[in-house]
Amino acid sequence: MDQEARSSHETAEKAREPGSAEWVPTVAAADLRAEQATDRPRDGPYAWTVIAACFISLMLSIGINDAYGVYQQHYQLVEFPEATATIISWVGTVQFLVMCVGGVFSGFLCEHFDTRLLNAAGALVMGAALIGGSYCRTIEGLMVTQGLLYGVGASFPFIAGTSIPTQWFTRRRGLATGIALSGSGVGGMWMTSATTAMIGALGRPWAMRVTGLVAMLAVLAVSPWMRVWMVPSRSESVIDWSMVRNPRFLVLLSALVFGIAAYFGPFFQMPSYSVVVLHKSASWGSNMDTLMNGLSVVGRLSIGLLSDVVGPLNLMIANTALAAVSLLALWVAFDTVGTAIAVALLFGFAIGGIVTVIPVVAAQVFGLARIPSIIGLLFIGYFAGGLLGVPPMSALLDNVGHRTDYTAAVWYMAMLPVCSLLFLLALRLMLTRRIRIKI
């Protein structure tokens, strides 16, 4: 055992002593089953270069997904006016759901192959999907290219960009992860405007070709820096069944399902709520989404920084509570412009912080040895949350509120972060009953 391994072993043993001041309930021994993949030091300048590469990969892969609403509007009003909005929305839905399900397999592949090559392969598939979609003239063709194929390609930079930052930092892990994951929020903001401008100036086919080419070249360019710090322990099974049977993992996954379900509701419903209930313009309503996206970036960065001081799970609990309060105390109780803006500010900040600390919490509780695979499994929660969130909300709005009364839909949205909060509190109790501890 070399000097670094002995030091890690001694630290792990000390950390497992409940009476120790440094004790945290982390499966630290899992790190000892991984081999160091590079001589580059953690927390150094090269590590920040890796973070920049993750930022760009997530900015384009998730940013393009977040901009699908622009295509939805174009398809519905211009290209396929005879098709229902529900059918058209499945192009973007397939894109996101395949990205999440593909995360399970891409996490497994990241344990067996070089993440730099996988990220590059994902860039090629993403670009090919959008360029191929530019030649499609049917919804079915777009569902295969822009939806299915793009989701498969984006799952690689999605998993790599989310799991790699936790390996490269020890002292500022939360801040580094927050910066990397803020790329998705930044991408969602500027890609929406860029896509709108390109469709207006060049038309939808050329907008997709330009977007595909830019995404492919940019993600390819940063792929050489999308490398792991350690080679994780390998498994011959795509799904780590020991993890699936782990009570801690199941509780965290349940919290994630309800948290992600809560994430989508306000972003989908606030624009129409602003028009129908607050009698504002459609552009004012879309600006509310931009406001929430902007605050989510602030939340990702600030919560990432604070998690290094307070503890990622503690902050995830606090942010989930803030999300619940913003919906229960403000949106449920009041139908005013001021409270709607307050909801956008508080909820956007809170939900951005929640997304940031998910991989940091996973590393804290389960160790780094199989973090790509664990993150991939957790993305099942994104899949389930996507199904649990918007469809039931829309059904309540249609069938109970008759498309004008948002009360039932808002109550449903508000209870989702409450359920997530209960699971997070249960996880903390499973780890420790001490209140004043960094975890």
Side-chain angles (χ1 to χ4, degrees), residues 244-417:
V244 173
R245 292 189 292 268
N246 187 318
R248 294 178 181 179
F249 178 82
L250 294 177
V251 172
L252 178 60
L253 181 64
S254 300
L256 181 59
V257 169
F258 286 103
I260 294 302
Y263 179 100
F264 288 104
F267 282 96
F268 276 68
Q269 300 292 0
M270 185 64 81
S272 62
Y273 172 87
S274 301
V275 175
V276 175
V277 177
L278 302 180
H279 308 293
K280 292 292 184 178
S281 66
S283 61
W284 194 92
S286 64
N287 287 338
M288 294 293 283
D289 264 5
T290 301
L291 182 63
M292 279 191 283
N293 269 309
L295 265 294
S296 75
V297 175
V298 176
R300 291 167 201 257
L301 294 174
S302 58
I303 297 304
L305 177 63
L306 289 173
S307 70
D308 293 324
V309 179
V310 180
L313 182 56
N314 290 337
L315 277 181
M316 190 173 181
I317 290 172
N319 272 41
T320 304
L322 178 60
V325 168
S326 69
L327 299 182
L328 280 173
L330 295 177
W331 205 1
V332 167
F334 302 98
D335 288 332
T336 66
V337 172
T339 53
I341 294 175
V343 169
L345 292 171
L346 294 175
F347 184 83
F349 178 87
I351 208 69
I354 292 170
V355 172
T356 294
V357 294
I358 288 171
V360 188
V361 169
Q364 178 85 351
V365 178
F366 304 110
L368 297 176
R370 295 207 63 201
I371 194 66
S373 179
I374 292 170
I375 295 296
L377 285 174
L378 286 176
F379 278 138
I380 295 176
Y382 281 71
F383 177 91
L387 296 178
L388 182 65
V390 175
M393 294 175 203
S394 301
L396 286 170
L397 180 60
D398 288 339
N399 300 314
V400 179
H402 306 290
R403 299 191 178 185
T404 57
D405 186 352
Y406 283 71
T407 303
V410 172
W411 266 108
Y412 181 81
M413 280 185 267
M415 294 311 298
L416 292 171

Side-chain angles (χ1 to χ4, degrees), residues 23-332:
W23 182 81
V24 289
T26 304
V27 188
D31 292 357
L32 303 179
R33 298 198 306 268
E35 298 178 359
Q36 187 172 331
T38 174
D39 58 358
R40 302 279 187 172
R42 283 172 163 174
D43 303 299
Y46 187 87
W48 287 108
T49 305
V50 174
I51 295 301
C54 292
F55 178 95
I56 293 173
S57 287
L58 291 173
M59 180 178 66
L60 288 165
S61 59
I62 309 303
I64 291 173
N65 176 261
D66 288 346
Y68 175 75
V70 178
Y71 289 105
Q72 166 90 13
Q73 183 183 57
H74 176 78
Y75 293 151
Q76 188 171 338
L77 299 180
V78 179
E79 202 162 342
F80 307 109
E82 73 286 352
T84 65
T86 302
I87 293 297
I88 294 173
S89 68
W90 270 104
V91 177
T93 301
V94 167
Q95 188 180 81
F96 177 75
L97 295 182
V98 170
M99 194 185 307
C100 295
V101 174
V104 178
F105 298 95
S106 58
F108 172 79
L109 292 175
C110 283
E111 294 182 354
H112 291 76
F113 300 98
D114 194 325
T115 51
R116 293 170 291 184
L117 295 178
L118 293 174
N119 203 71
L124 293 173
V125 175
M126 286 165 51
L130 292 178
I131 294 172
S134 70
Y135 294 98
C136 293
R137 297 295 182 267
T138 65
I139 295 177
E140 293 79 9
L142 290 167
M143 200 172 295
V144 172
T145 54
Q146 189 179 12
L148 176 64
L149 189 60
Y150 181 85
V152 171
S155 66
F156 290 103
F158 192 14
I159 287 293
T162 304
S163 61
I164 287 175
T166 59
Q167 297 188 7
W168 279 93
F169 288 84
T170 55
R171 296 190 303 271
R172 290 166 290 185
R173 180 176 291 166
L175 174 62
T177 304
I179 292 174
L181 268 65
S182 68
S184 60
V186 172
M189 293 176 66
W190 76 265
M191 277 301 305
T192 299
S193 300
T195 302
T196 301
M198 285 190 293
I199 290 177
L202 305 174
R204 193 269 299 178
W206 273 107
M208 294 184 75
R209 290 166 197 157
V210 172
T211 302
L213 187 62
V214 169
M216 179 171 59
L217 293 179
V219 178
L220 276 174
V222 300
S223 290
W225 290 274
M226 296 290 290
R227 64 187 304 177
V228 295
W229 188 83
M230 60 173 63
V231 179
S233 56
R234 293 172 171 84
S235 171
E236 298 304 320
S237 174
V238 174
I239 297 178
D240 186 349
W241 294 107
S242 65
M243 188 60 62
V244 173
R245 292 189 292 268
N246 187 318
R248 294 178 181 179
F249 178 82
L250 294 177
V251 172
L252 178 60
L253 181 64
S254 300
L256 181 59
V257 169
F258 286 103
I260 294 302
Y263 179 100
F264 288 104
F267 282 96
F268 276 68
Q269 300 292 0
M270 185 64 81
S272 62
Y273 172 87
S274 301
V275 175
V276 175
V277 177
L278 302 180
H279 308 293
K280 292 292 184 178
S281 66
S283 61
W284 194 92
S286 64
N287 287 338
M288 294 293 283
D289 264 5
T290 301
L291 182 63
M292 279 191 283
N293 269 309
L295 265 294
S296 75
V297 175
V298 176
R300 291 167 201 257
L301 294 174
S302 58
I303 297 304
L305 177 63
L306 289 173
S307 70
D308 293 324
V309 179
V310 180
L313 182 56
N314 290 337
L315 277 181
M316 190 173 181
I317 290 172
N319 272 41
T320 304
L322 178 60
V325 168
S326 69
L327 299 182
L328 280 173
L330 295 177
W331 205 1
V332 167

